[in-house]
Amino acid sequence: SLWLRPFPGTDSVLLGGILQAIIEFGITDDQYVAQNAQGWDELLQSLAPFTRNAVAEETGVSEAEIEEAARLFAQADAASILLGGDNSVGGTRRTTSRMAAALAVATGNVGKRGTGVMPIYHGPNEQGGWDMGVWSNSTPGHHLLNEQVALDRLGDVWDAQLSNVAGVGNRHIFDQARDEQVKAMIVL
């Protein structure tokens, strides 16, 4: 077993370093990547700064441990990532989630028994909100409204032009209702 203990707030850096090592070692699931990955070349370019030395310095996890984690994860018959997002520091949850997804895709650990990325948040409502895009500044699939490529892709699926203007959000929705700016609301 291997227990990695990165410095707080460096989870995404560690995952990036593990992913970079997997790619460098040539132990990605190339067939799965070719059939299922979008933006793979851009991902590869974005990982250039994630050298094992740089990652080790920033995270406090040794280069040897990063290499061992890369091999253990990539060479397992089935591997999954349990992602405890409640412990994220300073807005790193989104980047960490994306790195975890990229790691699962790179190794073909998606869609098979015992594989995938399983976010574990404080409550299921929060997870469901992100998944369904009901947060006022996001779309289904964890994309923010300022990501035009994601809006265009979702608009194509829905055959609609999507707005990039954020909604009010749950903190201010009742103020909007008192000001008669909300047409309908279901409160459960």
Side-chain angles (χ1 to χ4, degrees):
S1 69
L2 179 64
W3 181 23
L4 305 178
R5 295 174 296 281
F7 296 139
T10 64
D11 299 358
S12 62
V13 176
L14 178 59
L15 292 175
I18 291 170
L19 180 55
Q20 173 71 332
I22 288 170
I23 292 165
E24 187 178 314
F25 296 155
I27 50 178
T28 57
D29 185 334
D30 294 333
Q31 181 179 354
Y32 187 86
V33 168
Q35 293 175 352
N36 298 285
Q38 295 178 354
W40 184 252
D41 293 333
E42 292 86 354
L43 175 67
L44 295 178
Q45 291 173 3
S46 75
L47 292 173
F50 290 84
T51 64
R52 279 187 291 293
N53 181 50
V55 171
E57 283 185 25
E58 188 166 341
T59 65
V61 176
S62 74
E63 291 182 47
E65 289 174 312
I66 294 167
E67 291 175 4
E68 184 178 355
R71 287 189 174 96
L72 283 171
F73 190 83
Q75 295 173 337
D77 291 333
S80 58
I81 301 169
L82 300 176
L83 190 59
D86 285 339
N87 298 324
S88 296
V89 175
T92 60
R93 182 186 304 176
R94 185 166 181 248
T95 303
T96 302
S97 297
R98 287 182 167 193
M99 281 294 194
L103 188 58
V105 169
T107 55
N109 281 298
V110 178
K112 302 182 298 189
R113 184 181 181 102
T115 67
V117 179
M118 291 156 253
I120 304 171
Y121 296 132
H122 179 68
N125 287 339
E126 181 177 356
Q127 176 63 46
W130 277 103
D131 291 345
M132 300 304 296
V134 298
W135 295 116
S136 61
N137 65 344
S138 71
T139 68
H142 302 251
H143 292 286
L144 297 181
L145 294 177
N146 64 0
E147 296 179 42
Q148 193 59 49
V149 171
L151 284 178
D152 292 344
R153 189 177 306 136
L154 191 56
D156 289 344
V157 170
W158 288 348
D159 193 28
Q161 180 72 31
L162 301 182
S163 170
N164 63 354
V165 177
V168 178
N170 62 349
R171 290 187 180 149
H172 303 289
I173 192 74
F174 290 101
D175 295 333
Q176 296 284 315
R178 275 191 293 278
D179 295 339
E180 298 180 4
Q181 296 179 17
V182 175
K183 293 179 183 177
M185 181 181 353
I186 298 173
V187 179
L188 301 173

